[in-house]
Amino acid sequence: MPKRDSTVRGREFGAGVREALRKAGLTGRAAAELAGWDPAKLSDMLNGKGGVTEGDLHRLLGLCRTPLDETEHLVALYRETSQPGWLQVHGEKMPVELRTLH
């Protein structure tokens, strides 16, 4: 299995959060306003620049009414963004639902 660096993790994380916003029908600006954030904070999150806490992520995903399984996936990605040399293990078969393709 190929190694995945923090850039790949960051892209998958950002894509997942963007998808949560899209499903909620929210623009980045509207989501930032609802969360009480400066839009730059959300932009930094989406672009993998940090500046957010795990609590911030939970707040945003709660505002988006993101399903629990997807929330857990995004929180796991958030936690792994600072770990070097991450492998995405999915077993012997490809996952049924591919989350991102970049």
Side-chain angles (χ1 to χ4, degrees):
M1 276 177 244
K3 247 186 194 182
R4 309 227 5 223
D5 65 15
S6 62
T7 302
V8 174
R9 288 191 301 269
R11 275 190 292 207
E12 184 173 355
F13 173 75
V17 175
R18 281 184 191 91
E19 181 64 9
L21 292 170
R22 186 194 67 74
K23 287 180 179 177
L26 293 172
T27 64
R29 187 169 299 281
E33 186 176 315
L34 285 171
W37 299 346
D38 185 286
K41 180 174 182 169
L42 180 59
S43 177
D44 285 350
M45 176 193 282
L46 295 174
N47 292 308
K49 294 181 181 176
V52 295
T53 66
E54 190 172 317
D56 291 334
L57 176 59
H58 279 284
R59 178 182 178 89
L60 180 64
L61 296 176
L63 289 170
C64 292
R65 298 178 184 230
T66 304
L68 182 58
D69 61 333
E70 189 61 20
T71 295
E72 289 172 348
H73 173 72
L74 291 170
V75 169
L77 282 175
Y78 171 84
R79 290 176 181 163
E80 293 169 349
T81 55
S82 63
Q83 296 176 5
W86 175 71
L87 292 174
Q88 183 178 28
V89 179
H90 52 73
E92 293 180 18
K93 298 179 181 179
M94 290 295 290
V96 173
E97 178 182 338
L98 295 176
R99 296 187 184 276
T100 60
L101 295 172
H102 290 274

